Amino acid sequence: MYSNIELFTMILVIVLLTKPFGTYMYKIFEYKPMKLDKVFLPVENFIYKLSGINAQEEMGWKKYALSFLLVNTVMMIIGYIILRIQGFLPLNPTGVKNMESSLAFNTAISFTTNTNLQHYAGENGVTFLSQMIVIVFLMFTSAASGLVTAAAIMRGLSRKTKLLGNFYADFVRVTVRLLLPISMVITLILVWQGVPQTFAGKIVVDTLEGGKQTIITGPVAVLESIKHLGTNGGGFFGANSSHPFENPTWLTNMIEMLLMMLLPASLIYTYGLMINNKKHALVLYISLFVIFILLAVGAIYTESHPGVAYSKLHIDGTPYGNYEGKEIRFGVSQSPLFATVTTAFTTGSVDSMHDSYTPLGGAVPLILIMLNTIFGGDGVGLQNIIMYTILTVFLTGLMVGRTPEYLGRKIETKEIKLIAIAILVHPFLILFSSALTVMLKVGVSSVTNPLYHGLTQVLYEFSSAAANNGSEFAGFIGNTVFMNIMTGLVMFFGRYITIILMLAVAGSMAEKIPAPPSPGTFRTDNALFGAIFIAIVVIVGALTFFPAIILGPISEFLSMT
Amino acid sequence: MKRKREIKTMSREIVLGAIKNSFVKLNPLKMYKNPVMFVVEVGMFITLLATIFPTYFGSTYDEVGYNALITFILFITVLFANFAEALAEGKGKAQADTLKKTKKETMAKLIKSDGSIKMVKSSELKKGDIVLCEAGDIIPADGEIIEGLAAIDESAITGESAPVIKEAGGDFSSVTGGTKVISDSIKVQVTVDEGESFLDRMIKMVEGAKRQKSPNEIALTTVLVSLTIIFIIVVMTLYPMAKFVHVRISATTLIALLVCLIPTTIGGLLSAIGIAGMDRVTRFNVIAMSGKAVEAAGDIDTMLLDKTGTITFGNRLAADFIPVGGHKKEEVTYYALVSSLKDLTPEGRSIVDLAKKMGVKVPEDILDGAVVIEFTAETRMSGLNLKDGTIVRKGSYDKVKEYIKEQGGEIPEDLDKEVEKISLLGGTPLVVVKDKEVLGVIYLKDTIKPGMKERFKQLRAMGIKTIMVTGDNPLTAKTIAEEAGVDEFIAESKPEDKINVIKREQAAGRLVAMTGDGTNDAPALAQADVGLAMNSGTMAAKEAANMVDLDSDPTKIIEVVAIGKQLLMTRGALTTFSIANDVAKYFAILPAIMSDTLPSIKVLDIMKLSSPTNAILSALIFNAIIIPILIPIAMRGVKYRPMSANALLARNLLIYGLGGLIAPFVGIKLIDLIISSIF
């Protein structure tokens, strides 16, 4: 039934949580003393000692970026190896085989890059050991990677030195102080709600029909908490969060949505504290929520008012909306809301099948991963927001008659070159790979629908990969060698090029002496800037993807009328 | 007296020259320097091929006419952009030509080492040569006077006809080649080699021959290139994706779409904006050494201004009459006026003006038979001995005291106090005496130039901090600073103070502008982000600065800042306009492309254009003609009034942002109406 109650309840809760969590992250990033130091410091010092980290060493942007790449590459390779030999390894009660090479390549990249695009068949594709060492472990580290690189970038924009912090120490702190404690608490709540956490493996039950059914369980709850907190999105089961073991109740559904939003939303408050300009952060926060709410309301409305699509089915007048691909316990309001949250906050978990949405309802998640800036995933979302903010300031800042400056620092050729490439990467990856796919036979074979909807499937797959989202238009056949390699590369470049470029921007901005604001400087802390920011995000996004959106979902919608 | 060299905006020759040059600029080897327009030119060649060999480009023979038409419109688009650039260059060149006329080959009287004089051509002079310039001679090269004093007519350079006095030593020793000696004779040491003189540099700058892209222009070009690449990707990938959903798009239509989307408007006008910006500075009789300097002027946060000559007139004018010893104010005012009736110094005249303004009148016959006592350095008093025997004097405190004592008069008790009060305020007291009686004190004050207060108010609104530099004592400085409304002042300044303040401001992230003329100022002028030297100043100052004001008017720095801001604003406004235009073009072209396959796409055709072909043509024609329509704005710059950044932004966004969104909807519809009525 049509209702926006959950949407606004959730926003209210997030707004209340933003300040405490934003402040907490600020304290983590800025190495401020906190009450729990007694607990955390010994753990961290032990890890530093064990791994030989000199937490005091400050790094320039290049060293920070290299450390980040090094750690990510090593984890990616380990993940790949484990997946390839998982069949020989312990903790495999369900008898899963070794993963095929292109699929392992895709999966290792997918989880290291915080994408969690799953071309393997969930519970049947990986062993419990892989679930824990590859999947859950990478869910923590990829979220931490996003958050700490964001921290380094924020430091570059607020500090007066070229040094952006120590990657390893940041990485350990974020994991120990933020991701682990929250995950632990959430895991327990999920277990209370009925999510399994066991090594028991298969349960064979007698069905009412008198047949036998094999039900796979496993260490689900721990995965489920970091899956959402870390904006990862990869499910234990192929059916992801629509599976009753992953997301059994209305409450778990709400918790999962809140968890996705928690860190990306709070991080904007952290940003305000870091740059000592809370009003600017507030303007960004409100602007993003404006776009988010509009799209969420749109998705909920179209899914609960499917219109012509249903009138052709002679069940016109139904007050229930489009239930295809949706769980009855979530309905036509919570499902599209979940779809909006999972794509805005670039998580990628699903509690309904986006492929079955009405054309316009399905366009909402597609648009969100194409924009890739409406809050976004842990850390990387903020990086994209900063990228768009700098672009906005540069394009319109000239109109006040000064060389554009952001947070008092001039935006000059060097930064704008980096930003210009960063802005290019996302549309290039999506459009180029989509075009290539529809041109090649190996590509077209993955598309399970003709015409407009088929094109939408392709666009969705690559937008999801490029935005490191990971959700799919379920009908699409992802597990082919071609698609595994294509999406693997798209995820890889989509993640690392942008982060490295933004670190370079931060490194370059850090060297500048910030000028104090005056009545003559461009203001980024008022409603006017908020409106311009929204306009630039929407217009740049629209100009880039409008033709594709027209050919896909909009044509599909119009072809039904 | 300013802007004598203003060139008529659109003289016939300039326009004709620009038209010719816009064809010359079609050369791809020149075109690639403007990446956005280069893409249009390449697109034009492809559509030309598609016109000749339609079947190789997804067209049929029926579409040859359409392909040819698109080719033609693209050709015009490139031509319009070239025309904008050529026009701006043409205007600069016209200015350079007038300057070149000044640079006549002259004969110079070279003083050889043995003291004899040899006539040589001015072009043969080298750095270090010494020449003799006598009345009537044209000074053959830039140089420094090493001996003598002369009146020099600099109108060729400055447009100012009143001669200036230049002399060896001090801050007024530099002379410019091309100017004329009117009286006396001087020996000048040449300071530059042929081709590097001030005039040569001026010519180069206005000609735009050596024009290098300024930093902001490069940054903006980068963004435009990035947008262009995005749209190339969008258009190239559109073809296979459209094919997948059975929509056929010909190469010509794809190129039409591409050209509509890439920022051709700003791409076509960008260099014209830069050239015209420099040109505006030149027309203000300021020579900027680089476009970077003009841009930096727009970014200025702090302005360092000399008090004397810039903020105040430098001479002291009457501000008040203060009675002492129980006299009435009217009495002091009256006798102050009488004492100054024949005093023609600025001080004396200001006393008369102020007294008259206060309503005091003297009998018309008062001067009959009166004896004028002139001011001398010895007496330091002046006044009148009237017919009736009354002796009226005004003079400095010390001398008047002596005078009164000599005359056996009394000094009122409160005189000391009043005199001290005025001194403390930074004023100069003049004591008024009638016979042997002290009546009161005239308060002479350093006077702020009219309009400066408003200027400072504007500067504050623009977010620019002003710092006044003066040799006065702190109290005097404070009085003037408060009255003028500057934000800060430096009193009792030593030459190194300026550079220290500049460094301090720069360390805080601010950009600093200053004016100067003396050799002392040179280091500070070099350190400042924008240093404006006075043409009357020394060569050292001019070399160190990145701008020279030919009129030697230090307040002009404020206008230069406004021009810099206007330059940046114009770029920003037209970029915004260009990008905002794309929305309407999408709504024209995309439904047109899809209409065959999916008739219901018509709902997106919100302009209700007459046919798919006409829609594409209209969008493309709009895209082309908007360039010449905006040329006047590019040349003139967008309107600039000093106000806060926020107000400016709101205003420009409304005009160029919202306007850019709406204008093409109207424009494309109108063009479509015209096209559909013709065909």
Side-chain angles (χ1 to χ4, degrees), chain A residues 399 401-403 420 451 515-516 519-520 526 543 551 555 558, chain B residues 226 246 298-299 301 462 509-510 565 569 586 594 600 645-646 652:
Chain A
M399 281 194 283
R402 283 173 69 96
T403 302
L451 287 174
N526 55 16
L543 292 181
L551 290 178
S555 289
L558 292 174
Chain B
S226 174
H246 307 313
D299 288 348
D301 302 283
M462 287 153 71
R510 299 193 180 96
K565 286 195 177 296
M569 270 170 46
Y586 262 141
M594 301 279 299
S600 54
N646 221 37
N652 286 328

PDB file of all heavy atoms in Angstrom, chain A residues 399 401-403 420 451 515-516 519-520 526 543 551 555 558, chain B residues 226 246 298-299 301 462 509-510 565 569 586 594 600 645-646 652:
ATOM      1  N   MET A 399      31.510  33.362 -11.716  1.00  0.00           N
ATOM      2  CA  MET A 399      30.506  34.423 -11.872  1.00  0.00           C
ATOM      3  C   MET A 399      30.555  35.468 -10.772  1.00  0.00           C
ATOM      4  O   MET A 399      29.866  36.471 -10.864  1.00  0.00           O
ATOM      5  CB  MET A 399      29.111  33.814 -11.988  1.00  0.00           C
ATOM      6  CG  MET A 399      28.865  33.285 -13.386  1.00  0.00           C
ATOM      7  SD  MET A 399      27.149  32.932 -13.681  1.00  0.00           S
ATOM      8  CE  MET A 399      26.980  31.411 -12.815  1.00  0.00           C
ATOM      9  N   GLY A 401      33.431  36.807 -10.136  1.00  0.00           N
ATOM     10  CA  GLY A 401      34.561  37.634 -10.535  1.00  0.00           C
ATOM     11  C   GLY A 401      35.848  37.331  -9.809  1.00  0.00           C
ATOM     12  O   GLY A 401      36.682  38.202  -9.637  1.00  0.00           O
ATOM     13  N   ARG A 402      35.999  36.112  -9.372  1.00  0.00           N
ATOM     14  CA  ARG A 402      37.278  35.707  -8.766  1.00  0.00           C
ATOM     15  C   ARG A 402      37.660  34.338  -9.291  1.00  0.00           C
ATOM     16  O   ARG A 402      36.793  33.586  -9.727  1.00  0.00           O
ATOM     17  CB  ARG A 402      37.138  35.595  -7.241  1.00  0.00           C
ATOM     18  CG  ARG A 402      37.141  36.898  -6.510  1.00  0.00           C
ATOM     19  CD  ARG A 402      36.835  36.655  -5.048  1.00  0.00           C
ATOM     20  NE  ARG A 402      37.902  35.956  -4.365  1.00  0.00           N
ATOM     21  CZ  ARG A 402      38.859  36.577  -3.666  1.00  0.00           C
ATOM     22  NH1 ARG A 402      38.852  37.877  -3.572  1.00  0.00           N
ATOM     23  NH2 ARG A 402      39.794  35.897  -3.056  1.00  0.00           N
ATOM     24  N   THR A 403      38.943  34.021  -9.236  1.00  0.00           N
ATOM     25  CA  THR A 403      39.348  32.654  -9.517  1.00  0.00           C
ATOM     26  C   THR A 403      38.619  31.782  -8.502  1.00  0.00           C
ATOM     27  O   THR A 403      38.686  32.055  -7.313  1.00  0.00           O
ATOM     28  CB  THR A 403      40.869  32.489  -9.338  1.00  0.00           C
ATOM     29  OG1 THR A 403      41.508  33.396 -10.203  1.00  0.00           O
ATOM     30  CG2 THR A 403      41.301  31.085  -9.661  1.00  0.00           C
ATOM     31  N   ALA A 420      38.548  16.906 -13.866  1.00  0.00           N
ATOM     32  CA  ALA A 420      37.969  16.695 -15.196  1.00  0.00           C
ATOM     33  C   ALA A 420      38.072  15.223 -15.595  1.00  0.00           C
ATOM     34  O   ALA A 420      37.131  14.654 -16.152  1.00  0.00           O
ATOM     35  CB  ALA A 420      38.674  17.578 -16.222  1.00  0.00           C
ATOM     36  N   LEU A 451      14.839  -5.281 -26.836  1.00  0.00           N
ATOM     37  CA  LEU A 451      14.597  -3.835 -26.909  1.00  0.00           C
ATOM     38  C   LEU A 451      14.907  -3.056 -25.645  1.00  0.00           C
ATOM     39  O   LEU A 451      15.935  -3.259 -25.009  1.00  0.00           O
ATOM     40  CB  LEU A 451      13.146  -3.590 -27.345  1.00  0.00           C
ATOM     41  CG  LEU A 451      12.873  -3.902 -28.819  1.00  0.00           C
ATOM     42  CD1 LEU A 451      11.383  -3.774 -29.112  1.00  0.00           C
ATOM     43  CD2 LEU A 451      13.691  -3.026 -29.731  1.00  0.00           C
ATOM     44  N   ALA A 515      42.674  31.225   1.995  1.00  0.00           N
ATOM     45  CA  ALA A 515      42.381  32.632   2.244  1.00  0.00           C
ATOM     46  C   ALA A 515      41.128  32.710   3.110  1.00  0.00           C
ATOM     47  O   ALA A 515      40.209  31.934   2.916  1.00  0.00           O
ATOM     48  CB  ALA A 515      42.152  33.351   0.925  1.00  0.00           C
ATOM     49  N   PRO A 516      41.118  33.617   4.041  1.00  0.00           N
ATOM     50  CA  PRO A 516      39.911  33.733   4.875  1.00  0.00           C
ATOM     51  C   PRO A 516      38.734  34.231   4.038  1.00  0.00           C
ATOM     52  O   PRO A 516      38.929  34.982   3.089  1.00  0.00           O
ATOM     53  CB  PRO A 516      40.313  34.767   5.922  1.00  0.00           C
ATOM     54  CG  PRO A 516      41.457  35.510   5.330  1.00  0.00           C
ATOM     55  CD  PRO A 516      42.141  34.588   4.390  1.00  0.00           C
ATOM     56  N   PRO A 519      33.324  39.102   2.068  1.00  0.00           N
ATOM     57  CA  PRO A 519      32.083  39.287   1.282  1.00  0.00           C
ATOM     58  C   PRO A 519      32.319  39.091  -0.208  1.00  0.00           C
ATOM     59  O   PRO A 519      31.385  38.891  -0.967  1.00  0.00           O
ATOM     60  CB  PRO A 519      31.693  40.734   1.571  1.00  0.00           C
ATOM     61  CG  PRO A 519      32.401  41.098   2.817  1.00  0.00           C
ATOM     62  CD  PRO A 519      33.658  40.285   2.852  1.00  0.00           C
ATOM     63  N   GLY A 520      33.585  39.127  -0.638  1.00  0.00           N
ATOM     64  CA  GLY A 520      33.886  38.991  -2.064  1.00  0.00           C
ATOM     65  C   GLY A 520      34.085  37.562  -2.502  1.00  0.00           C
ATOM     66  O   GLY A 520      34.237  37.287  -3.670  1.00  0.00           O
ATOM     67  N   ASN A 526      25.318  28.555   1.920  1.00  0.00           N
ATOM     68  CA  ASN A 526      23.958  29.091   1.973  1.00  0.00           C
ATOM     69  C   ASN A 526      23.032  28.347   1.007  1.00  0.00           C
ATOM     70  O   ASN A 526      23.476  27.497   0.234  1.00  0.00           O
ATOM     71  CB  ASN A 526      23.955  30.594   1.690  1.00  0.00           C
ATOM     72  CG  ASN A 526      24.641  30.919   0.366  1.00  0.00           C
ATOM     73  OD1 ASN A 526      24.851  30.032  -0.457  1.00  0.00           O
ATOM     74  ND2 ASN A 526      24.979  32.171   0.161  1.00  0.00           N
ATOM     75  N   LEU A 543      22.777  15.450 -18.655  1.00  0.00           N
ATOM     76  CA  LEU A 543      23.387  15.621 -19.971  1.00  0.00           C
ATOM     77  C   LEU A 543      24.141  14.366 -20.381  1.00  0.00           C
ATOM     78  O   LEU A 543      24.189  13.998 -21.546  1.00  0.00           O
ATOM     79  CB  LEU A 543      24.338  16.823 -19.959  1.00  0.00           C
ATOM     80  CG  LEU A 543      23.686  18.189 -19.795  1.00  0.00           C
ATOM     81  CD1 LEU A 543      24.725  19.288 -19.827  1.00  0.00           C
ATOM     82  CD2 LEU A 543      22.637  18.436 -20.883  1.00  0.00           C
ATOM     83  N   LEU A 551      16.496   5.929 -24.212  1.00  0.00           N
ATOM     84  CA  LEU A 551      16.444   4.693 -24.995  1.00  0.00           C
ATOM     85  C   LEU A 551      16.014   3.499 -24.150  1.00  0.00           C
ATOM     86  O   LEU A 551      15.410   2.570 -24.654  1.00  0.00           O
ATOM     87  CB  LEU A 551      17.816   4.393 -25.611  1.00  0.00           C
ATOM     88  CG  LEU A 551      18.287   5.316 -26.722  1.00  0.00           C
ATOM     89  CD1 LEU A 551      19.674   4.922 -27.178  1.00  0.00           C
ATOM     90  CD2 LEU A 551      17.321   5.283 -27.905  1.00  0.00           C
ATOM     91  N   SER A 555      11.698   4.944 -22.940  1.00  0.00           N
ATOM     92  CA  SER A 555      11.063   4.363 -24.123  1.00  0.00           C
ATOM     93  C   SER A 555      10.194   3.180 -23.737  1.00  0.00           C
ATOM     94  O   SER A 555       9.107   2.985 -24.284  1.00  0.00           O
ATOM     95  CB  SER A 555      12.123   3.918 -25.122  1.00  0.00           C
ATOM     96  OG  SER A 555      12.725   5.045 -25.698  1.00  0.00           O
ATOM     97  N   LEU A 558       7.102   4.604 -22.404  1.00  0.00           N
ATOM     98  CA  LEU A 558       6.255   5.191 -23.447  1.00  0.00           C
ATOM     99  C   LEU A 558       5.680   4.123 -24.382  1.00  0.00           C
ATOM    100  O   LEU A 558       4.567   4.277 -24.895  1.00  0.00           O
ATOM    101  CB  LEU A 558       7.049   6.207 -24.259  1.00  0.00           C
ATOM    102  CG  LEU A 558       7.440   7.481 -23.489  1.00  0.00           C
ATOM    103  CD1 LEU A 558       8.356   8.351 -24.328  1.00  0.00           C
ATOM    104  CD2 LEU A 558       6.191   8.255 -23.069  1.00  0.00           C
TER     105      LEU A 558
ATOM    106  N   SER B 226      36.971  18.398 -21.201  1.00  0.00           N
ATOM    107  CA  SER B 226      36.410  17.241 -20.505  1.00  0.00           C
ATOM    108  C   SER B 226      34.937  17.046 -20.880  1.00  0.00           C
ATOM    109  O   SER B 226      34.498  15.930 -21.182  1.00  0.00           O
ATOM    110  CB  SER B 226      36.561  17.441 -19.001  1.00  0.00           C
ATOM    111  OG  SER B 226      35.918  16.430 -18.296  1.00  0.00           O
ATOM    112  N   HIS B 246      16.536  -0.820 -32.197  1.00  0.00           N
ATOM    113  CA  HIS B 246      16.035  -0.627 -33.567  1.00  0.00           C
ATOM    114  C   HIS B 246      15.788   0.831 -33.930  1.00  0.00           C
ATOM    115  O   HIS B 246      14.857   1.155 -34.652  1.00  0.00           O
ATOM    116  CB  HIS B 246      14.746  -1.436 -33.806  1.00  0.00           C
ATOM    117  CG  HIS B 246      14.919  -2.877 -33.462  1.00  0.00           C
ATOM    118  ND1 HIS B 246      16.006  -3.616 -33.875  1.00  0.00           N
ATOM    119  CD2 HIS B 246      14.146  -3.717 -32.727  1.00  0.00           C
ATOM    120  CE1 HIS B 246      15.896  -4.853 -33.409  1.00  0.00           C
ATOM    121  NE2 HIS B 246      14.786  -4.953 -32.699  1.00  0.00           N
ATOM    122  N   GLY B 298      41.399  40.573 -10.457  1.00  0.00           N
ATOM    123  CA  GLY B 298      40.056  40.206 -10.017  1.00  0.00           C
ATOM    124  C   GLY B 298      40.046  39.471  -8.693  1.00  0.00           C
ATOM    125  O   GLY B 298      39.044  39.438  -7.992  1.00  0.00           O
ATOM    126  N   ASP B 299      41.173  38.871  -8.367  1.00  0.00           N
ATOM    127  CA  ASP B 299      41.256  38.043  -7.150  1.00  0.00           C
ATOM    128  C   ASP B 299      41.743  38.799  -5.926  1.00  0.00           C
ATOM    129  O   ASP B 299      41.885  38.214  -4.860  1.00  0.00           O
ATOM    130  CB  ASP B 299      42.240  36.888  -7.390  1.00  0.00           C
ATOM    131  CG  ASP B 299      41.658  35.867  -8.329  1.00  0.00           C
ATOM    132  OD1 ASP B 299      40.454  35.941  -8.590  1.00  0.00           O
ATOM    133  OD2 ASP B 299      42.415  35.002  -8.796  1.00  0.00           O
ATOM    134  N   ASP B 301      42.525  40.565  -2.631  1.00  0.00           N
ATOM    135  CA  ASP B 301      41.857  40.588  -1.331  1.00  0.00           C
ATOM    136  C   ASP B 301      42.255  41.818  -0.539  1.00  0.00           C
ATOM    137  O   ASP B 301      41.520  42.279   0.312  1.00  0.00           O
ATOM    138  CB  ASP B 301      42.259  39.363  -0.500  1.00  0.00           C
ATOM    139  CG  ASP B 301      41.923  38.072  -1.199  1.00  0.00           C
ATOM    140  OD1 ASP B 301      40.740  37.714  -1.196  1.00  0.00           O
ATOM    141  OD2 ASP B 301      42.842  37.435  -1.749  1.00  0.00           O
ATOM    142  N   MET B 462      32.912  44.481  -1.880  1.00  0.00           N
ATOM    143  CA  MET B 462      33.522  43.472  -2.752  1.00  0.00           C
ATOM    144  C   MET B 462      34.422  42.539  -1.969  1.00  0.00           C
ATOM    145  O   MET B 462      35.000  41.609  -2.536  1.00  0.00           O
ATOM    146  CB  MET B 462      34.372  44.168  -3.836  1.00  0.00           C
ATOM    147  CG  MET B 462      33.571  44.855  -4.920  1.00  0.00           C
ATOM    148  SD  MET B 462      34.483  46.240  -5.655  1.00  0.00           S
ATOM    149  CE  MET B 462      35.740  45.395  -6.571  1.00  0.00           C
ATOM    150  N   GLY B 509      47.178  33.994   2.918  1.00  0.00           N
ATOM    151  CA  GLY B 509      46.423  33.499   1.769  1.00  0.00           C
ATOM    152  C   GLY B 509      45.765  34.589   0.950  1.00  0.00           C
ATOM    153  O   GLY B 509      44.935  34.302   0.107  1.00  0.00           O
ATOM    154  N   ARG B 510      46.123  35.842   1.211  1.00  0.00           N
ATOM    155  CA  ARG B 510      45.462  36.917   0.472  1.00  0.00           C
ATOM    156  C   ARG B 510      46.318  37.371  -0.701  1.00  0.00           C
ATOM    157  O   ARG B 510      47.540  37.318  -0.646  1.00  0.00           O
ATOM    158  CB  ARG B 510      45.207  38.102   1.393  1.00  0.00           C
ATOM    159  CG  ARG B 510      44.298  37.746   2.558  1.00  0.00           C
ATOM    160  CD  ARG B 510      43.817  39.008   3.246  1.00  0.00           C
ATOM    161  NE  ARG B 510      42.945  38.664   4.349  1.00  0.00           N
ATOM    162  CZ  ARG B 510      43.369  38.567   5.615  1.00  0.00           C
ATOM    163  NH1 ARG B 510      44.612  38.803   5.902  1.00  0.00           N
ATOM    164  NH2 ARG B 510      42.523  38.235   6.560  1.00  0.00           N
ATOM    165  N   LYS B 565      37.712  41.439 -12.462  1.00  0.00           N
ATOM    166  CA  LYS B 565      36.527  40.697 -12.012  1.00  0.00           C
ATOM    167  C   LYS B 565      35.566  40.490 -13.177  1.00  0.00           C
ATOM    168  O   LYS B 565      34.991  39.423 -13.361  1.00  0.00           O
ATOM    169  CB  LYS B 565      35.831  41.440 -10.880  1.00  0.00           C
ATOM    170  CG  LYS B 565      36.572  41.350  -9.571  1.00  0.00           C
ATOM    171  CD  LYS B 565      35.673  41.773  -8.426  1.00  0.00           C
ATOM    172  CE  LYS B 565      36.373  41.616  -7.084  1.00  0.00           C
ATOM    173  NZ  LYS B 565      36.702  40.231  -6.750  1.00  0.00           N
ATOM    174  N   MET B 569      34.062  37.036 -14.598  1.00  0.00           N
ATOM    175  CA  MET B 569      32.608  36.890 -14.567  1.00  0.00           C
ATOM    176  C   MET B 569      32.057  36.564 -15.943  1.00  0.00           C
ATOM    177  O   MET B 569      31.143  35.758 -16.090  1.00  0.00           O
ATOM    178  CB  MET B 569      31.956  38.179 -14.083  1.00  0.00           C
ATOM    179  CG  MET B 569      31.767  38.224 -12.603  1.00  0.00           C
ATOM    180  SD  MET B 569      31.276  39.865 -12.075  1.00  0.00           S
ATOM    181  CE  MET B 569      30.026  40.270 -13.235  1.00  0.00           C
ATOM    182  N   TYR B 586      18.587  18.852 -26.059  1.00  0.00           N
ATOM    183  CA  TYR B 586      18.203  17.455 -25.891  1.00  0.00           C
ATOM    184  C   TYR B 586      16.718  17.274 -26.194  1.00  0.00           C
ATOM    185  O   TYR B 586      16.312  16.339 -26.872  1.00  0.00           O
ATOM    186  CB  TYR B 586      18.471  16.996 -24.456  1.00  0.00           C
ATOM    187  CG  TYR B 586      19.763  16.248 -24.263  1.00  0.00           C
ATOM    188  CD1 TYR B 586      20.543  16.439 -23.130  1.00  0.00           C
ATOM    189  CD2 TYR B 586      20.211  15.325 -25.208  1.00  0.00           C
ATOM    190  CE1 TYR B 586      21.731  15.748 -22.924  1.00  0.00           C
ATOM    191  CE2 TYR B 586      21.399  14.625 -25.020  1.00  0.00           C
ATOM    192  CZ  TYR B 586      22.151  14.841 -23.879  1.00  0.00           C
ATOM    193  OH  TYR B 586      23.308  14.157 -23.690  1.00  0.00           O
ATOM    194  N   MET B 594      14.100   9.571 -32.135  1.00  0.00           N
ATOM    195  CA  MET B 594      13.324   8.393 -31.754  1.00  0.00           C
ATOM    196  C   MET B 594      11.976   8.305 -32.448  1.00  0.00           C
ATOM    197  O   MET B 594      11.310   7.267 -32.381  1.00  0.00           O
ATOM    198  CB  MET B 594      13.062   8.399 -30.239  1.00  0.00           C
ATOM    199  CG  MET B 594      14.288   8.399 -29.370  1.00  0.00           C
ATOM    200  SD  MET B 594      14.983   6.760 -29.192  1.00  0.00           S
ATOM    201  CE  MET B 594      13.627   5.896 -28.409  1.00  0.00           C
ATOM    202  N   SER B 600       5.204   7.469 -29.613  1.00  0.00           N
ATOM    203  CA  SER B 600       4.732   8.083 -28.359  1.00  0.00           C
ATOM    204  C   SER B 600       5.795   8.952 -27.700  1.00  0.00           C
ATOM    205  O   SER B 600       5.533   9.614 -26.702  1.00  0.00           O
ATOM    206  CB  SER B 600       4.255   6.996 -27.392  1.00  0.00           C
ATOM    207  OG  SER B 600       5.270   6.035 -27.212  1.00  0.00           O
ATOM    208  N   ALA B 645      29.755  39.096  -3.291  1.00  0.00           N
ATOM    209  CA  ALA B 645      29.831  37.938  -4.174  1.00  0.00           C
ATOM    210  C   ALA B 645      28.477  37.259  -4.296  1.00  0.00           C
ATOM    211  O   ALA B 645      28.073  36.828  -5.369  1.00  0.00           O
ATOM    212  CB  ALA B 645      30.867  36.956  -3.635  1.00  0.00           C
ATOM    213  N   ASN B 646      27.790  37.204  -3.178  1.00  0.00           N
ATOM    214  CA  ASN B 646      26.511  36.498  -3.182  1.00  0.00           C
ATOM    215  C   ASN B 646      25.474  37.187  -4.068  1.00  0.00           C
ATOM    216  O   ASN B 646      24.760  36.537  -4.823  1.00  0.00           O
ATOM    217  CB  ASN B 646      25.997  36.430  -1.742  1.00  0.00           C
ATOM    218  CG  ASN B 646      25.406  35.088  -1.453  1.00  0.00           C
ATOM    219  OD1 ASN B 646      25.914  34.067  -1.926  1.00  0.00           O
ATOM    220  ND2 ASN B 646      24.328  35.093  -0.704  1.00  0.00           N
ATOM    221  N   ASN B 652      23.847  36.964 -11.691  1.00  0.00           N
ATOM    222  CA  ASN B 652      24.342  36.305 -12.900  1.00  0.00           C
ATOM    223  C   ASN B 652      23.672  34.957 -13.144  1.00  0.00           C
ATOM    224  O   ASN B 652      23.467  34.563 -14.285  1.00  0.00           O
ATOM    225  CB  ASN B 652      25.858  36.126 -12.816  1.00  0.00           C
ATOM    226  CG  ASN B 652      26.571  37.436 -13.014  1.00  0.00           C
ATOM    227  OD1 ASN B 652      26.102  38.306 -13.740  1.00  0.00           O
ATOM    228  ND2 ASN B 652      27.698  37.601 -12.359  1.00  0.00           N
TER     229      ASN B 652
END
